[in-house]
Amino acid sequence: MERKKLLFIFNPFSGKGQIKNKLLEIVDQFVKSGFEVTIHPTQHPRDAIEVIAEYTEEYERIVCSGGDGTLDETVTGMMKREKKVPIGYIPTGSTNDFASSLNIPKSMEQAAKIAAEGVPFACDIGKFNNNYFVYIAAFGLFTDVSYATSQDLKNRIGHAAYILEGLRRLHTIQSYHLQITCEEQEIEDEFIYGMVTNSISTGGFKNITGKNVELDDGKFEITLIRMPKNPIELNEIIWSLTNLIDNTDCIYTFKAERLSVKSLGEIPWTLDGEYGGSHSEVIIQNKKQAIQIMIKPS
């Protein structure tokens, strides 16, 4: 009997590198599920993109393990391929926002079983100019925090690392004058933060991206925070974000399939928590149900 082929790509340094203790159990699960397994530990940034975009074997499943950055690389590599196959995900990062949105468990053995034997879910993927992202493209306050925060600090204090790093910088809030255009509206204003998301959880916080989030509806959830004009507005913004209630004119929230963002100068962006380059003009498009990710049978 010919076994199906599975390529397993993992980041050996993600989280606390704890995957090394579970590698045998994970591979054993794949074999028990009927796969012949090829293993590839990532060697450098963007390695997963290259491996997946360029493989010539006939794999029936690609499974990746690491944080959101590893998933982002895996999906980006798959988006570059003509023939796409389902992706399994074993989360081992410090936040794992997208795994949380898909209800993929933190237990590596359980996640491995879902990756091998679950059901494929066709989810939306974001296109950012010529790049891709899985669940978030963001700019402004806090966005450089996840890649400016050391891996060691992320490992030790997790979500709190992002917040502490961001709060340290409140006195240096920078605003950006932007012209934002989507299907139904055009907005021009001074913004300190913006995120285009396809996720229920961001930065480890659930429901911050809004209610009724669907990961396969072809639409992004967009949140834009205007530059506060005074301490009262700043307090309104903090209260709204803390309580997840949008009752301030300082925050725009809406859904869109496509977004154009123009600025006078270049703005640094983050894609899935990794640096996405600095741009003065970006086009963000929702590629509806572009990639299949393995989830628990409902």
Side-chain angles (χ1 to χ4, degrees):
M1 174 184 115
E2 198 174 333
R3 296 170 78 83
K4 301 170 287 183
K5 289 186 173 174
L6 178 151
L7 174 61
F8 178 41
I9 294 182
F10 70 95
N11 177 352
F13 303 107
S14 178
K16 297 184 178 72
Q18 72 259 40
I19 189 164
K20 293 167 190 170
N21 304 324
K22 299 286 183 183
L23 210 47
L24 186 59
E25 289 94 328
I26 290 169
V27 175
D28 186 55
Q29 176 62 62
F30 295 156
V31 173
K32 281 188 168 72
S33 301
F35 288 100
E36 177 186 309
V37 186
T38 301
I39 301 176
H40 181 90
T42 55
Q43 303 297 302
H44 50 78
R46 299 184 67 80
D47 187 33
I49 298 176
E50 293 161 17
V51 169
I52 291 165
E54 294 164 12
Y55 71 72
T56 53
E57 287 278 345
E58 281 290 318
Y59 293 112
E60 291 193 44
R61 184 78 36 85
I62 305 294
V63 180
C64 67
S65 181
D68 292 325
T70 305
L71 178 65
D72 175 281
E73 286 196 10
T74 303
V75 166
T76 298
M78 190 62 73
M79 288 296 287
K80 292 174 183 287
R81 294 190 71 83
E82 198 148 326
K83 184 190 174 192
K84 296 174 176 55
V85 300
I87 292 171
Y89 181 37
I90 302 172
T92 59
S94 43
T95 45
N96 306 313
D97 282 314
F98 202 64
S100 170
S101 296
L102 291 173
N103 287 320
I104 295 172
K106 289 196 169 91
S107 155
M108 283 187 246
E109 294 97 324
Q110 287 175 25
K113 191 169 173 66
I114 292 166
E117 299 179 5
V119 294
F121 168 72
C123 68
D124 301 343
I125 297 299
K127 187 171 188 195
F128 179 95
N129 287 350
N130 292 317
N131 211 331
Y132 295 96
F133 64 95
V134 178
Y135 74 95
I136 183 169
F139 69 85
L141 186 68
F142 299 133
T143 51
D144 63 343
V145 168
S146 69
Y147 51 80
T149 307
S150 76
Q151 185 69 50
D152 181 49
L153 189 61
K154 282 189 208 175
N155 291 347
R156 278 189 288 127
I157 57 175
H159 306 165
Y162 298 105
I163 308 307
L164 287 175
E165 194 71 30
L167 291 175
R168 258 191 230 151
R169 302 162 184 227
L170 276 179
H171 62 286
T172 59
I173 293 179
Q174 182 177 1
S175 69
Y176 302 97
H177 189 86
L178 302 181
Q179 186 181 15
I180 294 170
T181 312
C182 65
E183 300 94 276
E184 290 164 15
Q185 60 184 327
E186 188 170 305
I187 302 166
E188 190 164 342
D189 216 327
E190 288 285 323
F191 294 101
I192 57 171
Y193 178 79
M195 64 179 180
V196 178
T197 61
N198 187 45
S199 177
I200 293 158
S201 162
T202 303
F205 295 101
K206 281 211 163 193
N207 304 320
I208 200 166
T209 56
K211 296 183 174 67
N212 310 317
V213 174
E214 301 285 341
L215 305 181
D216 60 351
D217 62 354
K219 289 186 183 293
F220 294 119
E221 281 67 40
I222 290 133
T223 305
L224 301 166
I225 303 178
R226 200 161 53 69
M227 179 70 178
K229 294 188 172 74
N230 51 52
I232 293 169
E233 286 193 348
L234 180 61
N235 286 336
E236 275 181 21
I237 291 168
I238 291 168
W239 192 90
S240 288
L241 292 176
T242 310
N243 294 284
L244 306 178
I245 298 167
D246 177 14
N247 69 343
T248 168
D249 293 339
C250 298
I251 300 179
Y252 296 83
T253 54
F254 55 95
K255 290 177 185 267
E257 294 170 20
R258 187 178 188 277
L259 199 71
S260 155
V261 182
K262 292 180 183 174
S263 57
L264 294 171
E266 293 204 328
I267 298 178
W269 284 76
T270 170
L271 304 179
D272 295 335
E274 304 292 325
Y275 181 56
S278 292
H279 310 270
S280 57
E281 191 168 335
V282 298
I283 303 288
I284 303 173
Q285 303 168 69
N286 188 302
K287 296 293 184 184
K288 187 176 181 181
Q289 299 178 12
I291 291 285
Q292 292 187 323
I293 296 187
M294 304 304 290
I295 61 169
K296 274 184 207 166
S298 57

